[in-house]
Amino acid sequence: MAGKKESTFINMVLVLFIITLVASAALGGLYELTKEPIAKAKLNKKLKAIEEVVPAFDNNPSEEMYEVAMPSGDKLEFYPATMGGKLVGTAVKTFTTNGFSGYVWVMVGFKPDGTVNNYSVLEHKETPGLGTKMADWFKPVDPTKVKLSLVEKLGKLVGIKPAATKGGAEGDKKSIVGKNPGTINFTVSKDGGDIDAITAATISSRAFLDAVQTAYNEYMKKNNNKEISHVGTHSSATSKQATNSNKEGGKS
Amino acid sequence: MNNMQNFTKGFFKENAVFVLLLGMCPTLGVTSSAINGLGMGLATTFVLIMSNLVISLVSTMIPDKVKIPSFIVIIASFVTIVDLVMAGYVPALHEQLGVFIPLIVVNCVVLGRAEAFASKNKLVPSIIDGAGMGLGFSMALTMLGAVREFFGTGKVFDFPIFKENYGMLVFVLAPGAFLALGYLIAIINRLRKA
Amino acid sequence: MEYIIIIISAIFVNNVVLAQFLGICPFLGVSKKVSTAVGMTGAVTFVMILATIVTYLIQKYVLDAFGIGFMQTITFILVIASLVQLVEIILKKVSPALYQALGVFLPLITTNCAILGVAIMTIQKDYNLLEAVVFSGASAIGFGLALVLFAGLREHLDLVDLPKGIKGTPAALIVAGLLAMAFMGFSGIV
């Protein structure tokens, strides 16, 4: 190999120039290659969230998407899902700024009557470990699917029974799935509502429910539903109604 | 120094995190779980190997005065490659690691190896050095991540060891990173002296 | 009001060092004495604000304009590296006194990930230019606050009789952990 190059001005400029040129050419090429997968990955995330929160559909919700601007300047996105031309549900990308830090973005799916079908947390900056519990907390618990921890398994071997997972009525107070924000009070029980907050994360829970409520309000406005009138009222009458209308709930 | 020693020094004698105390930002920033630590470690390992490889090949052609800027450009290119590829194929992990992926470029381990080893050695030892250092770094990050995940949530690599309710949340949060690393280094110091 | 939120958030709630883990190397490296910590803070503040402005303009008028956002990492690190050199040269000529005070810290700054980190975060947060300046300034103050507090603690730490294994870096890290815990008390105020 040739000896060490002298540090003359021309040498330095030339070397730096060549290195930068090669680097940017390589990166430009790679960028073209990865452009599609990156765009796809982004889209997939949204599509997956939509699929998760609404019943089975056969249209392309992204194509029928419409937006509603909120006073803060942010937009709610609505993705109607239809099966054979009939509306089966609407996924709403909603948000709140009431969280612990910054925005919380949630995709929530409503059945045509406004009942929550399912939800998926898209993005949040809440306390890690607590805020992340949002992803599952408000969903119904299936006791058969709860994974036992190693300690519990070992305990079982020596005859100690693992603590029962709260299912049924008590577990269901956490869940928002199958409930209708129009008839049930979508605030945490601490504020007199009907939903149990995440342990030690009341603020994040309030924020989450607020996002769902916002989505519901706008969804109902869009669908010209009369039920909107009593949204957000804290009367006990609404909670009673809620128990009746809540088919999947264990309380009725 | 033979190749074997050259490879293993990154794990124990000159471990970037526990002994040299380099690359602390990603070490503390992304190790809230074992899998994040491993992902970050492997991304850094790739950059280390590739930049060591290229630099050992071209270093004789680079005048001394522009050595560091040239190295930085080479390293930054590989960091961008990692960034783009991860965004395309492992978007979830990419999102978790966030700003720390572009920050691999200022990870002192990478530039340090380029300057101290690759620019003075031939191709094969440079690659081995990069691999050893990188995997040692990955090991440290995974260990720290596993410790924090275990105490914080009762899981390791998402496998439940004890019930999450009994976890000490502080270990997943910012202070836990400092505490866990502090005690880990203390233990390793004690073991090395024994 | 928005600016106040940005400032409080960057200094206390999302402190660059204690909550975001940026700039840990100087945080551990130059925190043995309060006086050096203050000098480092000065240098970092200066470069951070300058670098954020320059990288912001480059992102908006070069990278975005030509659609070559993927060159961000390379461009930013080069800009920061050359900026540090430039500041060093200019400072030497214009204000030898200031150069005396900050000079030794300048070369260390290129690999301070807080600078690059803040520059990238400014773009990610989609700030306008004024917000970017406020954000970078506040981040630098947050960095300084953490650094000076930590240096004060460490000066006392040297006098404590600790078990052998834990003396030095481990003790410093544990103290940093406690400091981070104290800063967590600020979370939720914005």
Side-chain angles (χ1 to χ4, degrees):
Chain A
M1 256 193 252
K4 199 91 184 159
K5 282 272 188 308
E6 292 288 318
S7 292
T8 60
F9 183 73
I10 294 178
N11 262 345
M12 292 199 297
V13 173
L14 202 66
V15 165
L16 266 186
F17 181 72
I18 291 172
I19 289 180
T20 322
L21 199 70
V22 171
S24 25
L27 290 183
L30 186 78
Y31 174 70
E32 287 302 319
L33 280 179
T34 51
K35 209 153 97 185
E36 225 167 276
I38 290 175
K40 228 181 186 172
K42 267 189 195 147
L43 200 69
N44 265 347
K45 197 184 160 194
K46 206 191 249 172
L47 282 182
K48 246 173 104 184
I50 295 173
E51 265 170 34
E52 206 184 317
V53 300
V54 293
F57 55 87
D58 60 2
N59 67 328
N60 183 355
S62 300
E63 272 171 15
E64 291 167 40
M65 192 262 280
Y66 55 94
E67 292 175 335
V68 172
M70 297 303 284
S72 64
D74 296 288
K75 286 181 185 131
L76 296 189
E77 291 171 11
F78 290 77
Y79 299 90
T82 57
M83 185 71 154
K86 211 181 138 239
L87 188 73
V88 287
T90 305
V92 185
K93 189 183 166 200
T94 177
F95 71 98
T96 181
T97 48
N98 291 353
F100 213 53
S101 54
Y103 285 82
V104 177
W105 287 95
V106 183
M107 183 75 84
V108 53
F110 294 107
K111 288 180 186 157
D113 66 343
T115 310
V116 175
N117 186 56
N118 204 347
Y119 73 90
S120 166
V121 178
L122 298 173
E123 212 182 302
H124 71 85
K125 297 191 188 71
E126 306 298 288
T127 319
L130 280 180
T132 36
K133 284 192 185 165
M134 274 190 297
D136 293 315
W137 182 272
F138 300 103
K139 287 177 186 167
V141 187
D142 183 353
T144 53
K145 278 192 189 149
V146 175
K147 262 203 285 182
L148 282 186
S149 68
L150 192 66
V151 171
E152 282 170 315
K153 276 181 197 155
L154 288 177
K156 233 179 162 180
L157 283 181
V158 294
I160 305 166
K161 268 191 194 157
T165 311
K166 282 180 191 170
E170 201 173 340
D172 216 68
K173 236 195 139 189
K174 285 160 53 179
S175 162
I176 63 164
V177 172
K179 295 181 183 170
N180 189 323
T183 51
I184 230 182
N185 191 349
F186 261 44
T187 46
V188 297
S189 13
K190 222 183 215 171
D191 303 341
D194 296 322
I195 311 288
D196 273 346
I198 302 170
T199 320
T202 313
I203 296 175
S204 301
S205 309
R206 269 183 202 143
F208 173 82
L209 292 175
D210 178 58
V212 175
Q213 187 74 58
T214 314
Y216 176 80
N217 292 354
E218 292 304 319
Y219 173 73
M220 282 322 209
K221 250 187 236 166
K222 276 279 154 195
N223 288 276
N224 291 326
N225 206 305
K226 291 155 250 146
E227 276 189 274
I228 191 152
S229 53
H230 60 259
V231 160
T233 51
H234 290 223
S235 69
S236 57
T238 44
S239 7
K240 260 180 215 155
Q241 271 179 20
T243 331
N244 297 333
S245 68
N246 180 11
K247 289 168 214 135
E248 288 169 44
K251 282 185 282 184
S252 45
Chain B
M1 200 191 284
N2 64 32
N3 283 346
M4 202 54 212
Q5 280 172 324
N6 191 5
F7 182 68
T8 52
K9 71 170 190 288
F11 287 85
F12 306 105
K13 235 172 75 201
E14 290 178 33
N15 187 289
V17 175
F18 294 137
V19 183
L20 303 180
L21 305 172
L22 293 174
M24 281 300 175
C25 301
T27 303
L28 295 166
V30 302
T31 51
S32 55
S33 72
I35 193 78
N36 284 1
L38 185 64
M40 186 69 203
L42 293 181
T44 313
T45 307
F46 171 79
V47 174
L48 253 170
I49 295 176
M50 294 311 285
S51 63
N52 264 11
L53 186 156
V54 172
I55 286 166
S56 75
L57 285 178
V58 301
S59 65
T60 47
M61 288 176 254
I62 297 171
D64 273 342
K65 273 194 185 153
V66 290
K67 212 162 82 181
I68 299 292
S70 313
F71 290 178
I72 288 180
V73 174
I74 292 169
I75 293 168
S77 315
F78 286 112
V79 171
T80 312
I81 291 175
V82 169
D83 196 10
L84 289 174
V85 170
M86 284 180 81
Y89 298 99
V90 277
L93 187 63
H94 183 262
E95 205 170 285
Q96 287 271 312
L97 302 181
V99 76
F100 285 99
I101 296 175
L103 287 181
I104 295 175
V105 82
V106 281
N107 187 329
C108 331
V109 182
V110 183
L111 190 60
R113 292 328 285 176
E115 161 74 9
F117 198 95
S119 66
K120 299 187 187 100
N121 284 283
K122 290 224 166 62
L123 180 65
V124 177
S126 296
I127 294 175
I128 292 173
D129 175 78
M133 273 295 174
L135 292 176
F137 185 68
S138 311
M139 180 193 77
L141 257 62
T142 315
M143 257 172 80
L144 185 61
V147 168
R148 287 180 66 191
E149 199 184 347
F150 176 72
F151 284 116
T153 66
K155 297 176 195 159
V156 173
F157 279 110
D158 254 349
F159 177 78
I161 307 284
F162 61 85
K163 264 187 100 128
E164 193 169 345
N165 302 7
Y166 303 125
M168 294 175 272
L169 192 64
V170 71
F171 273 93
V172 215
L173 305 179
F178 289 105
L179 293 178
L181 184 64
Y183 283 111
L184 265 182
I185 293 180
I187 292 167
I188 284 164
N189 275 351
R190 186 77 188 74
L191 289 177
R192 284 196 324 144
K193 271 173 199 141
Chain C
M1 189 56 204
E2 250 167 67
Y3 296 110
I4 295 173
I5 290 177
I6 292 177
I7 291 172
I8 292 180
S9 153
I11 296 180
F12 297 110
V13 184
N14 293 316
N15 186 286
V16 252
V17 182
L18 297 170
Q20 317 244 32
F21 304 109
L22 299 175
I24 300 287
C25 292
F27 180 67
L28 293 173
V30 293
S31 58
K32 293 214 170 89
K33 267 196 189 149
V34 174
S35 55
T36 43
V38 172
M40 186 69 187
T41 307
V44 166
T45 312
F46 197 59
V47 177
M48 194 181 275
I49 296 177
L50 211 59
T52 307
I53 296 172
V54 176
T55 51
Y56 180 87
L57 294 175
I58 289 183
Q59 174 80 29
K60 289 281 127 110
Y61 295 106
V62 180
L63 297 183
D64 285 354
F66 291 101
I68 46 171
F70 60 92
M71 293 293 282
Q72 192 192 49
T73 314
I74 294 191
T75 329
F76 280 21
I77 188 68
L78 278 183
V79 165
I80 291 168
S82 32
L83 213 63
V84 170
Q85 291 272 311
L86 210 68
V87 167
E88 206 175 342
I89 294 167
I90 293 174
L91 223 54
K92 216 179 199 167
K93 284 258 159 67
V94 178
S95 164
L98 200 60
Y99 179 75
Q100 278 277 310
L102 305 182
V104 277
F105 302 107
L106 282 172
L108 290 173
I109 284 181
T110 313
T111 50
N112 181 341
C113 52
I115 311 272
L116 182 60
V118 167
I120 294 176
M121 280 197 296
T122 310
I123 306 296
Q124 280 176 353
K125 291 187 184 211
D126 214 11
Y127 283 145
N128 63 35
L129 187 57
L130 191 57
E131 283 170 338
V133 173
V134 172
F135 176 68
S136 60
S139 295
I141 294 170
F143 175 80
L145 181 68
L147 192 64
V148 173
L149 279 176
F150 188 53
L153 288 169
R154 269 186 102 171
E155 278 185 2
H156 290 272
L157 206 60
D158 282 344
L159 308 172
V160 184
D161 193 20
L162 287 168
K164 250 186 207 148
I166 224 163
K167 218 173 169 72
T169 317
L173 280 168
I174 292 163
V175 169
L178 298 176
L179 197 57
M181 227 181 270
F183 266 72
M184 262 183 74
F186 291 114
S187 61
I189 56 172
V190 288

